[in-house]
Amino acid sequence: MSGAIIGILLAISSGLLSLVGLISIFISMNSQHNVQRSREILWSIFTLPYRKNLFLEKGTIGREVFRKFILYEQIIGEKNLFLHRIINFAKIAIVFCGLIWTTIVYYLFRQSSSAIEQGILILCITLADLFVFYFTAKILGLLTSTSKVGRLPTVNELLDADILGANTITLASVSSQLRVINSEIFIGFPVPFNNLRVNISIQENAFSSKMPNGKDFSFNLENRIKDFKKLSDEDFKLLDDDYCYYTICNLKALENSTQQNSIFATVELISKQGYVSTEFFFEGLNNVNNTNFIIYPFAFDERFINRKSELDPFSRYIKRDREFNFTNETEWFNVGKSFFEFFDKE
């Protein structure tokens, strides 16, 4: 192999790498648009529970949650056949360049009689081939995934109420609705949230002294955790709308609570993200049989434990007081116990 042939091979590999660079710019610009749009949708999802006049339009928040989750799923999971072809071409070009380098180094290795030169050649081609393999298998492979490029959560991660860093449990709470059918009470969600634990309490009126989310809730949590029912995304039912419904209560066992022809219910949701209680009210109930109506929420209260911010006094207190040796700042609860302990005991 003459020096002219080696020069031609190097020129070919340089041209291919330049082409790959241009392709990478195109891929980055294409992916950046999807990443930015996904982030905007994600921010809007996180801020949905805190909108002004949230519960004035009944059922609107549920439809909004469903619409945004569907849109986010479509953008995150977008399959662009043309983009995949370009990425595959870039992979082939880089692998071809690696073969050219290996061929040239092999020829120079055969021509060299110095052990030092041979060692340098082997080291250089090994590093070059490792870089080619990593770039081809790792970096170019990630460019096909919008969530990995933008470090965005997948749809399944957003639906999981046990993954810290999101407000999934609050989204589930404010977008929920109660469905009463022939004395059975169902709780419905616009999308199938995961790892939610629910408990419902029905009082005679909104001023009942037996409200579960009162002052003593924190201190009774350890005793009350067994009352929460874990909802499985495989057990939901479809009624006459597109909500995911779960059976949580029977009004026949609570006839004393419906003597005033009204229902005031407090639904508690709990997960590793924290605790949220939602209040529902319905007036005009004549009997617990032959009924079919929907009750929408009118208020909610959240107690998060997944805050990680310098502005949060809770996080500052834990960081300041070093006698609390927790592995995670979010494991601290108001009563001074690890919140995760309640779930680990199951």
Side-chain angles (χ1 to χ4, degrees):
M1 183 183 297
S2 64
I5 295 177
I6 293 177
I8 292 173
L9 291 176
L10 290 176
I12 292 174
S13 64
S14 299
L16 288 175
L17 291 178
S18 299
L19 183 60
V20 169
L22 294 175
I23 291 175
S24 300
I25 293 174
F26 167 78
I27 296 174
S28 299
M29 293 178 62
N30 184 78
S31 300
Q32 183 61 33
H33 176 72
N34 288 344
V35 169
Q36 184 61 32
R37 180 57 178 151
S38 300
R39 283 176 179 163
E40 292 174 357
I41 297 173
L42 190 63
W43 293 334
S44 64
I45 290 175
F46 287 163
T47 57
L48 273 176
Y50 314 106
R51 290 193 320 186
K52 186 179 180 181
N53 301 325
L54 177 67
F55 298 121
L56 289 184
E57 298 182 19
K58 305 301 184 182
T60 301
I61 182 66
R63 292 190 293 269
E64 190 72 7
V65 168
F66 178 79
R67 186 183 68 84
K68 288 187 178 297
F69 265 89
I70 292 297
L71 183 59
Y72 184 80
E73 180 187 38
Q74 291 175 346
I75 295 177
I76 288 293
E78 181 184 11
K79 303 298 182 182
N80 191 323
L81 182 60
F82 179 67
L83 183 63
H84 279 265
R85 289 177 177 174
I86 293 177
I87 291 176
N88 290 333
F89 172 78
K91 290 180 178 180
I92 294 174
I94 293 177
V95 171
F96 186 68
C97 289
L99 292 177
I100 291 177
W101 299 338
T102 304
T103 302
I104 293 175
V105 169
Y106 177 75
Y107 171 77
L108 296 177
F109 181 85
R110 294 286 301 272
Q111 297 297 319
S112 176
S113 58
S114 172
I116 296 178
E117 291 181 356
Q118 291 179 345
I120 294 175
L121 289 173
I122 293 176
L123 177 62
C124 291
I125 194 59
T126 301
L127 293 176
D129 286 344
L130 287 176
F131 173 77
V132 167
F133 176 78
Y134 177 80
F135 192 84
T136 303
K138 187 71 175 177
I139 297 179
L140 287 178
L142 292 178
L143 291 178
T144 60
S145 173
T146 303
S147 62
K148 292 179 180 179
V149 171
R151 294 185 178 181
L152 299 170
T154 63
V155 175
N156 289 333
E157 290 173 345
L158 277 182
L159 294 175
D160 194 340
D162 275 350
I163 295 181
L164 302 182
N167 60 346
T168 302
I169 190 170
T170 304
L171 277 172
S173 178
V174 300
S175 63
S176 64
Q177 61 186 34
L178 296 182
R179 188 73 179 264
V180 182
I181 301 179
N182 296 331
S183 78
E184 290 287 336
I185 297 184
F186 301 84
I187 185 169
F189 304 99
V191 289
F193 294 105
N194 299 326
N195 293 319
L196 285 175
R197 295 161 178 83
V198 62
N199 182 48
I200 183 172
S201 300
I202 299 180
Q203 296 82 40
E204 293 183 3
N205 53 67
F207 303 99
S208 173
S209 61
K210 299 180 180 180
M211 292 183 65
N213 60 334
K215 180 179 179 181
D216 296 332
F217 170 80
S218 299
F219 302 97
N220 295 330
L221 179 59
E222 188 171 10
N223 298 326
R224 295 185 57 247
I225 193 67
K226 61 181 181 296
D227 298 330
F228 284 77
K229 174 185 178 182
K230 185 172 183 180
L231 304 179
S232 173
D233 61 339
E234 299 178 355
D235 298 334
F236 72 85
K237 302 176 181 179
L238 288 178
L239 301 180
D240 56 355
D241 56 21
D242 53 3
Y243 263 57
C244 306
Y245 286 100
Y246 305 83
T247 305
I248 57 172
C249 185
N250 192 314
L251 278 178
K252 288 184 177 179
L254 301 168
E255 290 184 357
N256 293 333
S257 300
T258 59
Q259 292 178 355
Q260 306 297 325
N261 296 328
S262 64
I263 297 177
F264 182 83
T266 299
V267 175
E268 303 167 278
L269 294 179
I270 196 170
S271 72
K272 289 186 178 181
Q273 289 183 357
Y275 163 86
V276 182
S277 65
T278 313
E279 297 175 345
F280 298 80
F281 180 76
F282 179 83
E283 191 172 17
L285 179 66
N286 296 322
N287 57 70
V288 297
N289 298 315
N290 300 322
T291 56
N292 189 341
F293 57 89
I294 297 175
I295 311 176
Y296 296 103
F298 69 89
F300 77 98
D301 175 50
E302 60 181 354
R303 299 187 185 184
F304 275 120
I305 59 164
N306 64 345
R307 298 173 296 185
K308 289 185 178 181
S309 171
E310 291 296 327
L311 300 178
D312 178 27
F314 203 57
S315 300
R316 284 196 178 190
Y317 180 79
I318 295 175
K319 191 177 292 186
R320 184 195 68 192
D321 199 336
R322 294 299 180 181
E323 67 178 272
F324 300 109
N325 298 317
F326 299 112
T327 58
N328 192 309
E329 292 181 5
T330 61
E331 293 180 352
W332 182 259
F333 193 55
N334 296 340
V335 294
K337 298 180 180 179
S338 173
F339 194 75
F340 290 164
E341 289 179 4
F342 301 127
F343 302 99
D344 295 336
K345 290 179 181 179
E346 293 186 354

